[in-house]
Amino acid sequence: MAVRFPKILTVGAAIAVTTGLVWLSQSDDSAVLPYVALLSLGSQAVFIGIWRSTVLSARMVFGVALILHFVAIFGSAAFEDNYFRFIWDGWWFIISGTPYGVAPAEFFGQSLPNSGLAMTLDGINNPHLPTLYGPTLQFIFSAAYLSAGTDPLGLRIFFAVFNLILVALLLRWTSPEKAALYAWCPLVLAETIIHIHPDGVMAMLLLGGILVAKRYPMAAGLFFGLAAGAKIVALALWPLLLRMGWRAVASAITVLILIYGVFIIQGQGAGFDSTGVFASDWYYNPLGFFVLDALLPSPIARASAALIGISIIMILHARTRSLEVAPIASIFGAILLFAPAVNSWYLLWILPFAVRSRMIWPFAATVALPLSYLTGLNLENPDLREFEVHGLAWTAQVVILLAALCWDYLRHRNAKNASKVASAAIEPIERPEIAVIIPALNEEASIGDVVREIRAQSWPAPPRVIVADNGSTDDTVNQARAAGAQIVHEPSRGYGAACLAGIAAIPPATNIVLFMDGDGADVPEEGPGLIEPLIGGRAELVIGSRALGQKQTGAMALPQQFGNWLATRLVWLIWGKRMTDLGPYRAIRADALDRLNMSDRDFGWTIEMQVKAVQQNMRIAERPANYRRRVGISKISGTVRGVLLAGHKILYVIGREAFFR
């Protein structure tokens, strides 16, 4: 039985650690080593205490968070200087109407309105660059300057308020115990209030958008637009807008254009030039990027890191099954993994969204990333460059994070394996009732033979053969009827439309549905083998794979083979399910077919079935299927137009199922 800590012990630890950080931050000798040790170990102690605490109430979580935020306000940013830029931006915004386009260094040697601004100017890092902070933050900076002038207390209070709003949102989004993992975290309090970093504003806006998305998609878009205006990295979550609908997308784009446009029309830019310098030149405490930078020239390493990071982010979005379970922490984690500069306050993007997961690595990062404060400047070590992290500190970060990631991977793999073992077995089919559906369009030369070959096979029970005529202008219908098939008509052209018409005609007692083409390319003798795994309860969907079987020369054109390869690789990359073909020869249990709710009416039918089956965790099997040269000209591979339309539709269906459903 797990040991449970008294709530009062956890609360006391959080208050003690926060108070200690405030005291150390105000020490004259800038005690960076004890400060970092307390920040790292204290964050972990509070995490363990909350993890092992008894049940917490929402009122208690918010009340303690309020106390902790109040205590943190009295801290001093002894090891950080970014807030000087925030104060300067707020002042210059008020004076000139835009904070962009003018570097603080241009004011060196000039007379300033007061000594506070002079001290602020002296403290700005990279003063030769104009500001890069987004317009959403600039409005906050200016409000803080109006309320407190050059005193950083104004910024602390503003950021504390926004962070408490985020805590309140977390209490609506998840349980109090999980919300406390963020609300009471010493690293969160240090980075938000003591060190004065605004990254929690972005997280607050994103979570607000997610919470209102179902009822108010336009408001969700507003929040997402403002979040991108706070930190451009919020764009990594914008694919979630596709799941909220076009109104959310339009709202987010409109808001972002408006808040940037207000400054762009003034002719001083909007910080993109400095952002470009940061992206191309800045190098600080890299993690995964360190490997790329060691192997490749810097520009190529940065481009490669961006490409890898974007690819991982898009795969994570595509694997998201609903807005509620979006892997936001992992998406931002991918950015940190390949970013050329990694600061501990970037965890403010991740931790609010990690509390609902079972992952350990984000909370292990609260131990690891504070070690990045051990730089040459803070350690006063002449052997290190100013912003160079001590080698032992960097190594410790990597070891801690790698250990946590391995732990998470092993636990995820074990849980996945246990889920497979525990999943309910599929009941075997004792009395098969089989329907064979053949969509057909102008197949008079082959359809009769196909139907007769089907009926001649040794089936567990005589199948009902249904030919779904898709508006044939030749003798297809008469040939199929003469061979013993039932005819249904679907005049609206489309492979999927014909299949849907065939499904509508199957008797209610049908429990197995076999699809095949009527052009003679599929081999009817293989039909009983395709349905056998369904009858035995070993699969719910069986694909007849031409890639695993033998193909007659000329049976599949090169564009078809490439399209199959590309589509199945995308399915594997996005959903993690390996398949080799999108072939039309397939068998499915009728109850599974009902659950798929098929809708595609043309070339996307086969890929829609396979993707939806993967999304629903159906048991899918493949069997080798030989493939012959078809009789007549293919409607797809026989024309350039058919190839292009089919390829476009298949990719569209994959994208639709990945990002819009």
Side-chain angles (χ1 to χ4, degrees):
M1 182 176 179
V3 176
R4 294 292 175 183
F5 298 155
K7 289 181 282 189
I8 190 64
L9 185 61
T10 304
V11 171
I15 294 175
V17 172
T18 305
T19 304
L21 291 172
V22 168
W23 179 73
L24 287 172
S25 72
Q26 295 175 337
S27 62
D28 294 334
D29 57 354
S30 297
V32 66
L33 284 173
Y35 182 88
V36 168
L38 181 61
L39 181 56
S40 293
L41 299 179
S43 295
Q44 191 64 12
V46 172
F47 166 73
I48 294 172
I50 296 170
W51 196 266
R52 295 298 187 188
S53 283
T54 52
V55 176
L56 303 175
S57 68
R59 182 175 296 180
M60 179 182 185
V61 170
F62 191 82
V64 172
L66 194 61
I67 294 171
L68 294 172
H69 283 63
F70 177 76
V71 171
I73 284 175
F74 296 98
S76 175
F79 313 114
E80 267 303 316
D81 55 11
N82 285 354
Y83 71 93
F84 289 113
R85 172 78 71 165
F86 307 157
I87 295 171
W88 181 268
D89 283 0
W91 169 73
W92 186 239
F93 184 6
I94 294 169
I95 295 299
S96 67
T98 176
Y100 299 110
V102 178
E106 295 183 26
F107 290 83
F108 287 158
Q110 297 186 23
S111 176
L112 293 171
N114 56 64
S115 59
L117 279 173
M119 292 177 62
T120 298
L121 179 60
D122 289 340
I124 295 174
N125 60 33
N126 297 301
H128 60 287
L129 293 175
T131 187
L132 52 71
Y133 294 99
T136 302
L137 295 180
Q138 296 296 345
F139 286 107
I140 298 173
F141 299 160
S142 61
Y145 185 85
L146 287 173
S147 63
T150 59
D151 190 338
L153 180 63
L155 287 169
R156 285 198 173 91
I157 293 174
F158 269 86
F159 293 163
V161 169
F162 283 117
N163 205 54
L164 285 169
I165 295 173
L166 176 53
V167 171
L169 294 176
L170 283 171
L171 288 168
R172 293 182 62 86
W173 191 52
T174 189
S175 68
E177 294 81 15
K178 291 181 178 180
L181 291 173
Y182 177 85
W184 298 357
C185 178
L187 179 133
V188 170
L189 296 161
E191 297 298 356
T192 302
I193 305 173
I194 299 176
H195 301 166
I196 321 179
H197 288 295
D199 297 67
V201 174
M202 179 192 75
M204 182 270 291
L205 291 167
L206 290 172
L207 183 55
I210 290 170
L211 287 174
V212 303
K214 284 188 176 180
R215 295 184 62 184
Y216 307 107
M218 290 187 67
L222 167 67
F223 284 127
F224 270 61
L226 290 173
K231 287 279 185 175
I232 203 70
V233 72
L235 292 176
L237 293 196
W238 272 37
L240 294 178
L241 292 168
L242 299 175
R243 302 179 187 275
M244 303 177 192
W246 68 268
R247 288 180 296 176
V249 175
S251 175
I253 293 173
T254 301
V255 168
L256 194 61
I257 290 174
L258 286 175
I259 61 176
Y260 270 107
V262 167
F263 299 106
I264 291 174
I265 61 175
Q266 298 183 54
Q268 296 294 323
F272 298 131
D273 47 353
S274 296
T275 301
V277 173
F278 178 88
S280 61
D281 296 341
W282 195 244
Y283 184 91
Y284 173 76
N285 191 43
L287 300 174
F289 179 76
F290 175 82
V291 178
L292 292 174
D293 195 59
L295 297 175
L296 301 169
S298 183
I300 297 176
R302 290 174 186 268
S304 301
L307 182 61
I308 294 170
I310 291 171
S311 299
I312 294 174
I313 288 168
M314 297 309 293
I315 290 171
L316 289 170
H317 275 294
R319 291 188 175 187
T320 299
R321 298 192 177 181
S322 70
L323 188 63
E324 290 74 16
V325 295
I328 298 174
S330 296
I331 289 168
F332 284 136
I335 295 174
L336 261 64
L337 180 61
F338 292 100
V342 178
N343 294 288
S344 63
W345 57 87
Y346 293 171
L347 288 176
L348 298 175
W349 315 341
I350 295 173
L351 292 175
F353 305 103
V355 297
R356 290 179 68 176
S357 73
R358 292 178 55 82
M359 297 184 299
I360 296 297
W361 73 262
F363 301 99
T366 65
V367 179
L369 290 188
L371 299 176
S372 65
Y373 281 110
L374 300 179
T375 62
L377 179 64
N378 289 332
L379 291 171
E380 299 180 355
N381 186 339
D383 295 330
L384 297 173
R385 295 186 300 274
E386 280 191 344
F387 296 107
E388 180 183 357
V389 177
H390 193 284
L392 289 177
W394 183 85
T395 303
Q397 289 181 87
V398 172
V399 170
I400 292 169
L401 289 172
L402 279 178
L405 288 169
C406 289
W407 177 276
D408 283 334
Y409 170 75
L410 292 174
R411 189 168 62 172
H412 172 73
R413 188 187 66 178
N414 292 338
K416 190 175 182 179
N417 292 338
S419 176
K420 288 181 180 179
V421 172
S423 61
I426 307 171
E427 290 290 333
I429 297 175
E430 295 182 1
R431 298 183 60 184
E433 295 288 340
I434 307 163
V436 180
I437 296 177
I438 307 174
L441 173 61
N442 294 333
E443 305 288 4
E444 64 176 1
S446 58
I447 191 67
D449 290 338
V450 170
V451 173
R452 282 186 287 270
E453 285 186 59
I454 292 171
R455 294 168 60 85
Q457 304 310 310
S458 297
W459 301 91
R464 178 184 292 266
V465 181
I466 301 172
V467 172
D469 179 60
N470 204 206
S472 297
T473 56
D474 61 5
D475 202 35
T476 295
V477 171
N478 292 330
Q479 293 291 332
R481 185 178 288 117
Q486 174 186 344
I487 306 298
V488 296
H489 296 280
E490 176 50 75
S492 299
R493 291 290 176 87
Y495 182 87
C499 290
L500 288 169
I503 292 171
I506 63 176
T510 302
N511 46 35
I512 293 176
V513 183
L514 176 68
F515 296 90
M516 65 183 300
D517 283 350
D519 56 13
D522 297 325
V523 181
E525 288 88 345
E526 296 171 349
L530 282 181
I531 69 169
E532 191 274 332
L534 305 181
I535 295 173
R538 298 189 302 278
E540 295 169 278
L541 170 64
V542 181
I543 308 296
S545 172
R546 297 164 296 183
L548 300 178
Q550 299 295 319
K551 296 183 289 291
Q552 281 188 349
T553 303
M556 286 186 70
L558 285 176
Q560 274 183 291
Q561 295 183 53
F562 174 74
N564 274 307
W565 177 86
L566 177 61
T568 54
R569 291 306 182 277
L570 286 174
V571 171
W572 169 69
L573 190 64
I574 295 171
W575 290 285
K577 177 65 177 179
R578 291 185 180 274
M579 290 181 280
T580 61
D581 196 10
L582 307 180
Y585 207 5
R586 56 188 55 213
I588 186 170
R589 290 172 66 119
D591 57 348
L593 182 59
D594 288 340
R595 297 201 304 274
L596 293 181
N597 191 26
M598 295 290 294
S599 61
D600 197 90
R601 298 183 64 82
D602 47 51
F603 302 117
W605 170 270
T606 56
I607 187 63
E608 181 191 26
M609 179 181 290
Q610 287 170 237
V611 167
K612 285 185 171 180
V614 171
Q615 290 175 327
Q616 295 188 28
N617 292 320
M618 288 186 182
R619 294 189 182 181
I620 304 171
E622 286 189 318
R623 291 291 182 272
N626 296 325
Y627 200 62
R628 306 179 293 204
R629 285 195 300 271
R630 62 160 287 135
V631 177
I633 298 175
S634 171
K635 284 79 175 175
I636 298 178
S637 62
T639 65
V640 173
R641 180 176 182 272
V643 170
L644 294 176
L645 287 176
H648 171 267
K649 186 56 182 290
I650 288 170
L651 294 176
Y652 166 77
V653 170
I654 291 174
R656 181 192 70 196
E657 295 297 327
F659 297 107
F660 290 85
R661 292 291 177 91

